[in-house]
Amino acid sequence: MPDFFEDVARKWKSFSGGRHPSTRIDEEAVLTTYARWAPVYDVVFGAAFRAGRRAAVGFVNELPPGRILECGVGTGISLPYYANDHRIHGIDLSPEMLEIARQRVADQGLPNVDALVEADASDLPDGDATFDASVAMFVMTVVPDPQAVMSELIRVTKPGGAVVLVSHFADQKGWRKWFGEKLSPLSASLGWHMDFSVERILGRSELRLVQRRRVGPFGFFTLIVFERL
C-alpha cells in the first residue's frame, strides 16, 4: 500500500516548497482517500486520537442509557469504549471503513452496536429526534459542508439531548498553532481542514453550549458539548 504514503510525501513536498495543498473537500475525494487509508488508519492515527475519543465517549457514558448516534464511525475504533447500556448506531460514508468496523463488532462481541450504516452525514436517513445524543469525532473538519452536518446532528437529536464534538480547530496560538501548521501536509492527505475555525459550528439557536475544553496530547484537540434545545 505505498500509494497513500507517496500521497503524503507529495503533499509534504508541496507544503515545504511554499505551495499549500488545496483545501477543497468533496464527497468523491473523501471516499477515495478513506478507501486507501482504511487498512492502516487505526495503526497510524489510533494512539494520536485516543484521548479525544475517550473524552467524547466518556461524556456520553455519563448520560442515562439511551440511543447514541456516532456520525463518522469509521473503523469503529471507539465502539468498545461505550457503556453497554447505550445502544449505538454508527454511520459513515466509507464502505471500506465500515467493513472494518463490522468486523470489529463481530470479533469483540459488542452487543450494544445496533447498526453500522453507509450514509452521508449531511443527509442522515434517520428521523427527527431519534437519538438521545449525537457524537462526531474528528468529523467536522473533513466533511464538504459542515453547516449541513451540524443541521443534521441537531435534527436527529432529541430536545434535551447532547451533541458532542471533538476535533482540532484553528483557534489556537503559540506552539499549538505551529504544530497544526506542521501537520498540514498529513492532514491534507486525509482531507482535513487544519484552518477550520470553531466559530463555524458555534452560535446555533437550537443549541446551548455546555462544555468546551482542550483534550488529547497537550490539549491539541477540543471537546465541545451542546444541549439540544
Side-chain angles (χ1 to χ4, degrees):
M1 292 171 285
D3 288 349
F4 52 78
F5 291 113
E6 292 174 2
D7 186 35
V8 173
R10 284 194 298 270
K11 291 216 169 20
W12 180 266
K13 183 177 180 180
S14 173
F15 181 82
S16 299
R19 291 177 283 110
H20 290 262
S22 171
T23 57
R24 182 178 181 271
I25 301 176
D26 56 43
E27 183 175 309
E28 183 179 354
V30 170
L31 282 168
T32 301
T33 297
Y34 280 91
R36 293 166 60 186
W37 276 100
V40 296
Y41 186 89
D42 291 357
V43 174
V44 176
F45 298 102
F49 292 173
R50 183 180 299 124
R53 289 192 301 271
R54 291 272 181 104
V57 176
F59 178 87
V60 171
N61 286 343
E62 294 178 359
L63 301 175
R67 297 193 67 200
I68 311 299
L69 170 68
E70 184 173 330
C71 181
V73 68
T75 64
I77 194 170
S78 62
L79 294 176
Y81 300 137
Y82 286 100
N84 289 333
D85 51 5
H86 285 314
R87 310 305 305 179
I88 312 302
H89 181 102
I91 71 101
D92 203 277
L93 191 63
S94 168
E96 291 81 7
M97 301 285 266
L98 285 171
E99 182 179 351
I100 296 172
R102 293 184 183 110
Q103 190 61 52
R104 186 190 304 276
V105 170
D107 290 345
Q108 299 190 24
L110 303 176
N112 62 332
V113 179
D114 286 341
L116 295 171
V117 177
E118 186 178 336
D120 184 343
S122 64
D123 186 19
L124 295 172
D126 309 286
D128 296 354
T130 297
F131 299 102
D132 298 285
S134 297
V135 186
M137 295 179 272
F138 308 106
V139 167
M140 301 310 297
T141 59
V142 70
V143 293
D145 190 346
Q147 290 299 327
V149 174
M150 284 297 297
S151 294
E152 284 293 88
L153 293 176
I154 292 167
R155 181 183 65 80
V156 301
T157 304
K158 297 177 182 178
V163 175
V164 182
L165 311 175
V166 66
S167 195
H168 167 78
F169 299 104
D171 307 73
Q172 301 198 29
K173 299 179 181 179
W175 70 267
R176 292 189 182 92
K177 180 180 180 181
W178 174 86
F179 188 61
E181 291 172 349
K182 294 302 180 184
L183 283 179
S184 288
L186 179 58
S187 67
S189 74
L190 283 165
W192 295 336
H193 273 178
M194 296 296 284
D195 59 350
F196 189 96
S197 171
V198 70
E199 299 301 326
R200 295 178 67 182
I201 60 174
L202 299 177
R204 298 291 298 246
S205 62
E206 312 97 320
L207 298 173
R208 181 177 70 88
L209 180 65
V210 297
Q211 186 175 148
R212 177 179 173 181
R213 63 183 176 90
R214 296 192 187 279
V215 298
F218 310 106
F220 188 66
F221 303 117
T222 302
L223 174 71
I224 300 177
V225 179
F226 299 100
E227 178 189 0
R228 170 69 165 98
L229 300 177

